[in-house]
Amino acid sequence: MKHKTFILILILLVSFHFGTLKTSAATATISVTPSSTRVLVGSTITVTVKVSSAAPLGGWNFDVLHSSNLKMTYSSFQNSLYVADVATSTNQKSKSYTFKFTAKSSGTASIAIRNSYVLGYDEKQMTVTNGSRTISIITQAQLEASYSKNNNLSTLSISGASLSPEFNKDTLEYTAELDPDTTKANVSAEVEDKKASVTGVGEIEVTDGVNRHEVKVTAENGSVKTYVINVIVKEYNPIEVKIGDETYTVVRKKSLLEAPRYYKETTITLRDEEIPAFTNDITKFTLVGLKDDEGNIDYYIYDEDKYTPYMELSFDRVVFYPMEEEGKGVSDKYKKATVTYDGKQIDAYKIEAGSRFALIYGMNLETGKKDYYLYDTEENTLQYYNSEEIDLLSETNNKYFIIIIILATVSLISVISSIVLLVIMIKKKKQNKGYKMDDLLEATQRIKTKKRS
């Protein structure tokens, strides 16, 4: 009797509890919201499931279903995809749950909410809103392949000037002229694709002559397109000089020049105007700056209206000026060649074309001494070439070579003499009719003994 009474009470309690769920949850909704609908393989997806109602909630339950390319790693409800819960207070109207999944492989994944049947509860009375969601899982390679390749500009301009030719996204180089004494200009540009980025816009500094300015556009996939504006700042009466087939402009602004090592500032007069220059008491060179048609400035040796390109090779302890020399004092084993330093070709001498070491003739700018230096093309080092040691070694080698030749000659003469002696003895024996094999062997043995001695 007691056992039956307990079962009856239990049934009543269960009926009362799920009667509350059944009544209050009938107007409740359940929704699912993922943190992202497109993720990479190996990434984590956070899913929020929310139960809500206009009236206070009683009790509820649901299952979270997912496809095989997702793996659950976390649940805020007892680490399970099945939820059976009740309101914490009589006035509670909503509650949220968090689930986390790892994307296992590429493809389309799905997450869905399904009402669960519990102790006779009528699941049709529950309303599920946004109860299923799909998620696209892709690999890194698929993601990169989907990136935009658009690296075009839609507009390009510079303040105070017009571009020539007129801007076109497929035209990569332009010219713009600015008034004399202009020192700054503003470059504006917009990208055609908002996912792309652009550099080289804003205020830029310009000087007299040609100023090459680059505007670079980087697409979402990393590809780069470079637009060039040759900004020409006009000069009042520019001083132009001709070197070969090229025309250069003399740099007249001191602020654009920096004194080379071991040189001091001075001036020269060109066309009744003082021009900044640099001089060195050791080299006796006077240097001026010349600008080419692309705006690059280099130093040239000025000597009575003649201009010679100036070059410095800077090493750990030596600042070196290469000069021309017709191989005087160099072993005939060395052949004329060239080496590259800082992108420039320099006359040199090598034993073989692919040799690591080369001889370069020039001047040490600290001492003014002119001589040959040994250049290591791999280590980029320079040291004085000691030709005395090389000559001494060569002389010693020549002496040894002569001795070897003399010894070889003596040995050869000895062998020939022995052979001649043997022939003579054989002939004598024949003439005396006393030729015997024993005599021949005796003569041969005598020759061998003489050769050893």
Side-chain angles (χ1 to χ4, degrees):
M1 183 66 181
K2 290 181 179 180
H3 181 66
K4 291 181 179 179
T5 302
F6 174 76
I7 292 175
L8 180 60
I9 293 171
L10 180 61
I11 292 172
L12 289 172
L13 289 172
V14 171
S15 299
F16 173 77
H17 173 71
F18 284 100
T20 305
L21 181 150
K22 189 173 183 178
T23 303
S24 62
T27 58
T29 60
I30 303 176
S31 63
V32 55
T33 306
S35 57
S36 176
T37 57
R38 190 186 191 204
V39 296
L40 290 175
V41 173
S43 299
T44 297
I45 309 159
T46 301
V47 175
T48 302
V49 176
K50 185 177 182 180
V51 180
S52 59
S53 174
L57 293 170
W60 58 92
N61 58 284
F62 58 85
D63 290 328
V64 179
L65 309 178
H66 64 88
S67 55
S68 60
N69 54 353
L70 292 175
K71 178 183 178 181
M72 190 199 78
T73 57
Y74 172 80
S75 168
S76 61
F77 188 82
Q78 299 176 355
N79 200 35
S80 171
L81 294 180
Y82 168 72
V83 176
D85 206 356
V86 295
T88 56
S89 69
T90 57
N91 293 322
Q92 185 175 354
K93 296 182 179 181
S94 67
K95 189 169 183 179
S96 297
Y97 301 88
T98 299
F99 301 89
K100 292 184 179 181
F101 299 87
T102 297
K104 294 167 57 179
S105 59
S106 60
T108 301
S110 62
I111 299 175
I113 301 301
R114 183 184 68 182
N115 294 334
S116 298
Y117 180 77
V118 180
L119 296 176
Y121 169 64
D122 183 1
E123 63 184 74
K124 294 181 180 178
Q125 293 181 351
M126 292 288 289
T127 301
V128 177
T129 304
N130 296 328
S132 65
R133 289 297 180 92
T134 58
I135 298 170
S136 176
I137 303 176
I138 59 174
T139 63
Q140 181 67 32
Q142 290 173 322
L143 176 64
E144 292 177 1
S146 69
Y147 288 161
S148 170
K149 302 176 182 178
N150 190 333
N151 53 13
N152 295 322
L153 286 179
S154 60
T155 64
L156 177 64
S157 61
I158 184 168
S159 59
S162 299
L163 296 183
S164 177
E166 187 177 344
F167 174 75
N168 182 293
K169 66 181 181 181
D170 297 320
T171 302
L172 300 183
E173 189 154 355
Y174 302 88
T175 299
E177 290 189 351
L178 298 176
D179 293 333
D181 295 331
T182 301
T183 58
K184 294 181 180 180
N186 193 66
V187 176
S188 301
E190 292 183 1
V191 294
E192 194 173 66
D193 184 350
K194 298 304 179 184
K195 295 179 181 178
S197 60
V198 60
T199 60
V201 296
E203 190 175 76
I204 62 171
E205 293 185 354
V206 291
T207 61
D208 293 348
V210 180
N211 301 263
R212 180 183 172 87
H213 181 73
E214 295 183 349
V215 177
K216 294 186 177 181
V217 185
T218 303
E220 186 184 21
N221 72 344
S223 61
V224 179
K225 178 180 284 188
T226 302
Y227 293 85
V228 176
I229 305 176
N230 294 305
V231 184
I232 302 174
V233 178
K234 300 177 184 178
E235 288 188 61
Y236 294 114
N237 302 319
I239 302 175
E240 295 182 343
V241 298
K242 194 88 170 177
I243 304 177
D245 296 330
E246 303 293 330
T247 300
Y248 298 84
T249 303
V250 177
V251 178
R252 297 185 290 183
K253 289 187 177 180
K254 179 181 173 182
S255 60
L256 300 180
L257 302 172
E258 183 177 351
R261 191 174 177 182
Y262 302 125
Y263 281 80
K264 59 185 178 182
E265 296 179 3
T266 186
T267 59
I268 62 172
T269 302
L270 291 176
R271 299 183 188 177
D272 299 325
E273 182 179 346
E274 282 197 350
I275 303 298
F278 303 95
T279 186
N280 182 301
D281 294 334
I282 295 176
T283 65
K284 308 300 182 183
F285 294 156
T286 298
L287 306 183
V288 295
L290 300 184
K291 182 186 290 189
D292 63 19
D293 58 2
E294 291 186 354
N296 302 309
I297 297 176
D298 283 309
Y299 287 113
Y300 286 75
I301 301 171
Y302 173 78
D303 184 16
E304 296 181 356
D305 291 332
K306 293 181 180 179
Y307 299 86
T308 305
Y310 177 76
M311 182 190 306
E312 280 186 3
L313 310 185
S314 296
F315 300 92
D316 185 27
R317 297 180 180 178
V318 180
V319 179
F320 186 75
Y321 172 68
M323 304 174 71
E324 291 186 5
E325 175 72 4
E326 294 300 326
K328 297 176 181 178
V330 177
S331 169
D332 56 6
K333 293 181 179 180
Y334 283 89
K335 306 299 179 184
K336 198 162 186 178
T338 59
V339 293
T340 302
Y341 179 89
D342 197 23
K344 298 179 180 180
Q345 295 291 317
I346 302 168
D347 290 335
Y349 296 89
K350 287 186 175 183
I351 294 178
E352 295 181 359
S355 176
R356 169 179 172 176
F357 297 94
L359 293 181
I360 303 175
Y361 185 81
M363 181 193 302
N364 184 326
L365 295 186
E366 186 175 10
T367 64
K369 185 176 181 180
K370 301 176 184 178
D371 212 326
Y372 284 98
Y373 285 76
L374 188 63
Y375 175 51
D376 186 338
T377 59
E378 291 186 11
E379 297 292 336
N380 197 35
T381 57
L382 192 74
Q383 63 181 18
Y384 178 71
Y385 175 66
N386 190 347
S387 60
E388 291 181 4
E389 283 190 15
I390 302 298
D391 294 341
L392 181 61
L393 180 61
S394 179
E395 183 180 343
T396 303
N397 289 338
N398 289 337
K399 288 180 180 179
Y400 282 126
F401 180 73
I402 292 172
I403 292 172
I404 291 172
I405 293 297
I406 292 173
L407 290 175
T409 303
V410 171
S411 178
L412 180 60
I413 292 173
S414 177
V415 171
I416 294 172
S417 299
S418 299
I419 294 172
V420 171
L421 178 61
L422 177 61
V423 171
I424 292 172
M425 290 178 66
I426 291 172
K427 286 182 177 180
K428 285 183 178 180
K429 289 289 184 179
K430 285 182 178 181
Q431 290 173 356
N432 298 329
K433 297 181 180 181
Y435 173 77
K436 293 180 181 180
M437 181 59 70
D438 291 341
D439 295 332
L440 179 60
L441 292 174
E442 182 182 349
T444 303
Q445 184 64 36
R446 201 178 300 125
I447 292 172
K448 288 183 178 179
T449 303
K450 183 178 180 182
K451 185 177 180 182
R452 288 195 200 97
S453 61

